[in-house]
Every structure is written in C-alpha cells, then in structure tokens.
Amino acid sequence: MSSALTDLCRYPIVQAPMAGGASCPQLAAAVSDAGGLGFLAAGYKSVDVMYEEIKHLRGLTSRPFGVNLFMPQPHYADAAAVEVYRNQLAGEATWYETPLGDPESGRDDGYEAKLAILLDDPVPVVSFTFGCPTRTTLDAFAKVGTLTVVTVTTPEEAQTAQWSGAGAVCVQGIEAGGHQGTHRDDPENDGVGLGLLALLALVKETVDLPVIATGGIMRGGQVAGVLAAGAEAAQLGTAFLVCPESGASALHKDAMTNPLFARTQLTRAFSGRPARGLVNRFMSEHGKYAPAAYPEVHHVTAGLRKAAAKAGDAQGMALWAGQGHRLARDLPAATLVNVLVTEFEVAGARLGRPGNAS
C-alpha cells in the first residue's frame, strides 16, 4: 500500500460512501475500528447534517475516516425533455399519493459550504464524485493534511485528477453499484464503460497516483486480485450495504439476495444519471424514457422513492447494487472486514506471496 493509505488503515479495505443513507456514522465507525477505512456520504445532505454526522462519527471512533462530496453539475439538461418525463410519471404520483418534485430544487449540493466546513475542521480523507475539483481546492486540502481522492472512470479522468493535484484516484469499473462517477455525463457513452481490471491497468499506465479499485468487489480474493493488478486498496459498497450497521432500508438489504431481483442494470430512471441497480418495475417501465438530466430527475423522483419505501414497495425504489450483489453476506461490519482479510490472506498465499494485510 502507499504510505498515505498505510497511515490511514491497517487493511486495504475501504467502505464505499453510499449516498442515500447507507453510509451512516455507525457503519463507518465499525469499519474503521476493524482496521478498514470507513466513509460518510455527504451527497444529498445539507451542510448541517454533514457536520452533525462527522461529529457523531468522531464520537464513535478515534480511527481515520473519509467524507465524500458530489461535485456541482453543469446546467445542460433539456427542460422540455424533463417535463415530458415528469408527465410520464404522473401515474406514479397518483399511485403513491405524493407530488412530483421540482426539477430546479438545486444543483450544487451545498458544495462550497461543505468545502468550507471540511477545510476549517479537517477530516483525514475527502473524496469527490461526478468531477474533479480545481487545483486550488485540492491544494487547500493538502495544506490542512487531508488526503484527496477523485473518482475516475477513464484514464483521461485519472490524468485530469493528477494534473489537478489529487492525492489518489478511486478507479470505478462499470460493475459498481450506484452512480457511475463520470466527470461528464454523455448519453452517447451509456453502457460502454470499462470493467474494473481493464480500467485499472489502463489507469496504472496513465498516472502515477495511489489507486483505490472499486466495482463488483464482494470477496477477499477479489481484493487480492486488484492489489495484484496494482491497486493500493479495494473499495466495497454493496458488500457493506447489508450489514446491520448500514443505514439502508430493510427492503433494500433484503432485495440484494431476493430471487425476485436477479440482475442489475444501468439506468437513468431515478436520477437522470447512469446508476446501477436491481432491475425492478420502475426501472423497467421508465428507464428507457428517462433523459440525461441530473440532478433534475433526481429531484423529480425523490418523493416517489420515499413514498415507495414507506409503502414497503421495493418495485418503486432505487435499489442500488453492484454486479456481485448475490454474494452479499448479512454480517456485522467488523466481522465482514475480518472475513475479507482472511480471504485476502488465503488468496495471497495461493499467489505464492504473503497476504500483506497488515
């Protein structure tokens, strides 16, 4: 592992920041205390809620942790296309007895205010999704001792991160659950992303930065595999989503291994940006009509998703999940970290070298 990451966690296991509630302080603390690196997801949260969660997490663990931010998005959506999609969802609003949201409810996710908080009261790691911050911003974090990580989905995005002064990159393969962290949302590229191992090799050839690998990783053997391919650590989201400490709903957790939800697919149905989730009724009925419009579509469907969860209807929820979701194990987070480490060490021995887990 790189020295920067070695100082932060005993094991090369990072709990992915999953926006929407799963990555809560209890989960992050359990992972960090077990020797991994826990993460909070600040996306979709107010500045005050982010700050309170950081305080809560600090009260639960003295170990390092990270906070993830969503980058502000350019205003390029076709307003007419968004309105057409809103009209298509009118039946959903009637069914769930809730109004559709305002597509213009905000697009910067409180980015500047969150930066100010994290620079004034630094945390060990800050990662960024949906783009790359300016060099000024990344340099400011470096000055206060925060390691910065930029999520990338192409070698070109990794090069931008290096030029801008990022401390590391999180290489996200197309297998990953939740949103694809592309820096530019181009509909022509839907579904053509690279698998993790191919992308990891390309990024390692392109930049000289520490790499965290993510996308479909559910077992310690896969952790060993991405480390053998050049990563310094593996990031797991879906694997931790089902842990009892996770803030994900019981419906979401149960769906991971429910035979009704046999496969995942990338969709714009819920947010207007490509995101991988379990195929359900809402995705099947609306996915092909959803425009490239983030966060407009996210705001439009927010109430529907909450109403579906409240009604206990998994068919109307965004069930984000990676391609390895059927391998999910309902284990306490610390136990899962320990199991992953054991599997990692066994796989390392099979490769003819020590596991190097500690």
Side-chain angles (χ1 to χ4, degrees), residues 17 47 101 121 138 148 157 190 245 251 281 296-297 323 336:
V47 176
D121 190 6
L138 294 173
T148 52
E157 290 174 354
D190 281 5
E245 298 91 342
L251 284 171
R281 179 195 61 79
E296 288 88 351
V297 172
Q323 287 185 340
L336 179 56

Side-chain angles (χ1 to χ4, degrees), residues 6-17:
T6 301
D7 291 342
L8 293 171
C9 50
R10 182 181 180 189
Y11 305 125
I13 295 171
V14 179
Q15 166 245 311

Side-chain angles (χ1 to χ4, degrees), residues 120 123 143 206 227 233 314 355:
D120 182 63
V123 299
K143 287 179 181 177
T206 304
L227 264 64

Side-chain angles (χ1 to χ4, degrees), residues 4-348:
L5 289 172
T6 301
D7 291 342
L8 293 171
C9 50
R10 182 181 180 189
Y11 305 125
I13 295 171
V14 179
Q15 166 245 311
M18 296 170 281
S23 297
C24 58
Q26 293 86 346
L27 178 61
V31 172
S32 289
D33 278 345
L37 181 65
F39 252 94
L40 292 176
Y44 305 142
K45 292 187 174 78
S46 69
V47 176
D48 289 341
V49 170
M50 181 194 77
Y51 183 63
E52 289 303 315
E53 287 199 349
I54 291 172
K55 286 203 305 182
H56 188 185
L57 178 52
R58 283 174 168 153
L60 295 174
T61 183
S62 60
R63 298 293 304 160
F65 61 90
V67 175
N68 175 258
L69 300 181
F70 285 171
M71 294 293 298
Q73 298 299 289
H75 198 298
Y76 62 83
D78 182 340
V82 174
E83 187 59 26
V84 168
Y85 192 57
R86 278 186 101 255
N87 291 335
Q88 181 181 324
L89 297 178
E92 299 283 351
T94 300
W95 176 256
Y96 290 114
E97 299 181 336
T98 190
L100 297 172
D102 178 5
E104 300 300 330
S105 297
R107 58 188 321 99
D108 69 354
D109 202 45
Y111 177 72
E112 292 294 341
K114 289 174 182 176
L115 288 183
I117 292 291
L118 293 168
L119 288 169
D120 182 63
D121 190 6
V123 299
V125 186
V126 173
S127 67
F128 301 88
T129 301
F130 302 152
C132 182
T134 64
R135 174 169 284 278
T136 299
T137 296
L138 294 173
D139 285 349
F141 276 113
K143 287 179 181 177
V144 299
T146 295
L147 175 67
T148 52
V149 182
V150 174
T151 304
V152 301
T153 61
T154 66
E156 293 78 17
E157 290 174 354
Q159 198 166 54
T160 296
Q162 179 166 269
W163 288 341
S164 299
V169 289
C170 180
V171 174
Q172 183 195 44
I174 200 169
E175 306 95 332
H179 284 92
Q180 291 288 295
T182 52
H183 292 190
R184 181 175 180 272
D185 183 17
D186 185 349
E188 293 186 1
N189 292 330
D190 281 5
V192 300
L194 291 168
L196 178 57
L197 288 179
L199 178 59
L200 178 57
L202 288 166
V203 169
K204 291 294 292 184
E205 290 285 331
T206 304
V207 300
D208 184 22
L209 283 175
V211 170
I212 300 169
T214 191
I217 300 174
M218 302 291 290
R219 294 287 188 263
Q222 293 170 289
V223 176
V226 296
L227 264 64
E232 280 70 38
Q235 180 173 284
L236 296 79
T238 304
F240 284 108
L241 185 145
V242 299
C243 293
E245 298 91 342
S246 160
S249 70
L251 284 171
H252 196 166
K253 292 179 181 182
D254 291 344
M256 292 300 104
T257 52
N258 187 330
L260 283 174
F261 305 104
R263 63 188 179 91
T264 65
Q265 185 173 300
L266 288 169
T267 185
R268 294 181 181 271
F270 297 102
S271 72
R273 238 185 185 272
R276 184 174 296 282
L278 299 175
V279 177
N280 61 4
R281 179 195 61 79
F282 193 100
M283 188 190 296
S284 297
E285 292 183 1
H286 303 294
K288 59 185 175 182
Y289 304 110
Y294 177 88
E296 288 88 351
V297 172
H298 163 76
H299 294 315
V300 168
T301 67
L304 296 177
R305 288 177 275 127
K306 290 178 182 177
K310 185 176 180 181
D313 183 9
Q315 296 293 342
M317 298 168 57
L319 302 172
W320 303 138
Q323 287 185 340
H325 65 96
R326 298 299 290 271
L327 297 171
R329 297 177 281 199
D330 181 9
L331 296 172
T335 302
L336 179 56
V337 170
N338 291 331
V339 169
L340 289 166
V341 169
T342 298
E343 294 171 343
F344 166 68
E345 291 176 333
V346 169

